[in-house]
Amino acid sequence: MTRASLNKQPHEVASMFDRVAERYDLTNDVLSLGQDRRWRKEVAKAVDARPAQKVLDLAAGTATSSLPFARTGAYVVPCDFSLGMLQVGKKNHTWLPFTAGDATRLPFKDDAFDAVTISFGLRNVQDFDAALREMYRVTRPGGRVVICEFSHPTWAPFRTVYTEYLMRALPPVARAVSSNPDAYVYLAESIRAWPDQPALAEHLRKAGWSKVAWRNLTGGVVTLHRGFKEA
């Protein structure tokens, strides 16, 4: 199995990410034209981690997304179900408490974290509604969730150009820089199949989150969703 299918069998997705782990961060930087760095900065601002707070970073991969939280003095737990990703991350950041875990069955106690965040990973979860409920369970009352995910551009002409990029330009670029280019065909297909901004916000509300809001980045190519667990 070189890439996951859109029914998102967990072992297929984990295996796919194991294969791209070594060059994952470089490939993302190239394919996003460097925009991934800006997006991660916006995630850090939205999470607003503070010293001594506990932050759970799901689908953390190699922990590139976790480092901004650690720099604030927060205690951050990078969690992922791809052992290959965790191994690469641990090699580069030995001091972080990497944890293997499935987003639909998190290995943490209730009300354990001040904030839970996931960047570009919810789309890969087989039952993402279960994941949203699990994030809610492990967040303390008054805590927050921040989700950064590929979404749907809001301007129709740009949406057409973006879709063409995903399906035509992304695969050949991935072949040049990725250790498993077929994984990025899955990436393009999964982005197209993902719910739009209002639909994902409704999923958050149904999972129990309140004060749900979203903000588009890069014209809606990526969207930040945020919600709170009532105190």
Side-chain angles (χ1 to χ4, degrees), residues 123 149-156 158-160 162-163 166 188-200 214-225:
R123 192 185 70 261
E149 189 54 87
F150 290 110
S151 195
H152 297 259
T154 54
W155 189 44
F158 176 60
R159 185 163 58 243
T160 301
Y162 175 62
T163 302
L166 283 177
E189 293 171 349
S190 65
I191 290 171
R192 292 181 69 186
W194 187 244
D196 65 11
Q197 292 88 327
L200 183 55
W214 74 83
R215 181 162 64 91
N216 291 318
L217 303 177
T218 318
V221 169
V222 166
T223 300
L224 289 180
H225 281 78

Side-chain angles (χ1 to χ4, degrees), residues 47-209:
V47 171
D48 192 24
R50 306 291 177 87
Q53 286 189 339
K54 295 180 179 178
V55 177
L56 174 61
D57 186 18
L58 291 175
T62 61
T64 297
S65 57
S66 305
L67 295 176
F69 311 127
R71 293 188 192 110
T72 68
Y75 177 78
V76 57
V77 177
C79 181
D80 203 292
F81 75 158
S82 165
L83 296 181
M85 286 286 199
L86 293 174
Q87 288 166 357
V88 171
K90 191 66 174 177
K91 182 170 62 177
N92 296 327
H93 311 292
T94 57
W95 49 279
L96 284 173
F98 286 88
T99 302
D102 182 339
T104 64
R105 296 185 299 275
L106 292 173
F108 305 108
K109 294 180 180 179
D110 295 357
D111 307 332
F113 295 94
D114 296 284
V116 178
T117 184
I118 182 169
S119 293
F120 309 110
L122 189 62
R123 192 185 70 261
N124 299 316
V125 178
Q126 183 181 38
D127 184 352
F128 72 87
D129 285 311
L132 293 174
R133 292 191 296 270
E134 274 291 271
M135 293 179 208
Y136 186 87
R137 178 184 67 80
V138 302
T139 301
R140 68 164 179 80
R144 60 220 181 265
V145 65
V146 173
I147 297 168
C148 180
E149 189 54 87
F150 290 110
S151 195
H152 297 259
T154 54
W155 189 44
F158 176 60
R159 185 163 58 243
T160 301
V161 172
Y162 175 62
T163 302
E164 287 296 307
Y165 170 74
L166 283 177
M167 300 314 296
R168 296 178 184 273
L170 189 148
V173 173
R175 279 194 291 274
V177 296
S178 173
S179 54
N180 181 18
D182 283 343
Y184 289 87
V185 177
Y186 159 80
L187 170 71
E189 293 171 349
S190 65
I191 290 171
R192 292 181 69 186
W194 187 244
D196 65 11
Q197 292 88 327
L200 183 55
E202 186 59 28
H203 282 276
L204 277 159
R205 294 186 190 97
K206 288 181 178 178
W209 298 98

Side-chain angles (χ1 to χ4, degrees), residues 3-72:
R3 71 180 182 93
S5 57
L6 288 180
N7 63 7
K8 299 185 183 72
Q9 294 301 316
H11 67 281
E12 293 179 4
V13 177
S15 177
M16 181 189 73
F17 279 104
D18 288 346
R19 289 188 176 94
V20 301
E22 285 290 345
R23 302 183 71 183
Y24 182 71
D25 293 319
L26 170 64
T27 305
N28 286 346
D29 207 25
V30 172
L31 293 177
S32 71
L33 307 177
Q35 286 294 300
D36 61 317
R37 300 180 192 182
R38 174 180 167 247
W39 297 335
R40 293 192 190 284
K41 287 180 181 178
E42 293 300 325
V43 171
K45 290 178 186 177
V47 171
D48 192 24
R50 306 291 177 87
Q53 286 189 339
K54 295 180 179 178
V55 177
L56 174 61
D57 186 18
L58 291 175
T62 61
T64 297
S65 57
S66 305
L67 295 176
F69 311 127
R71 293 188 192 110
T72 68

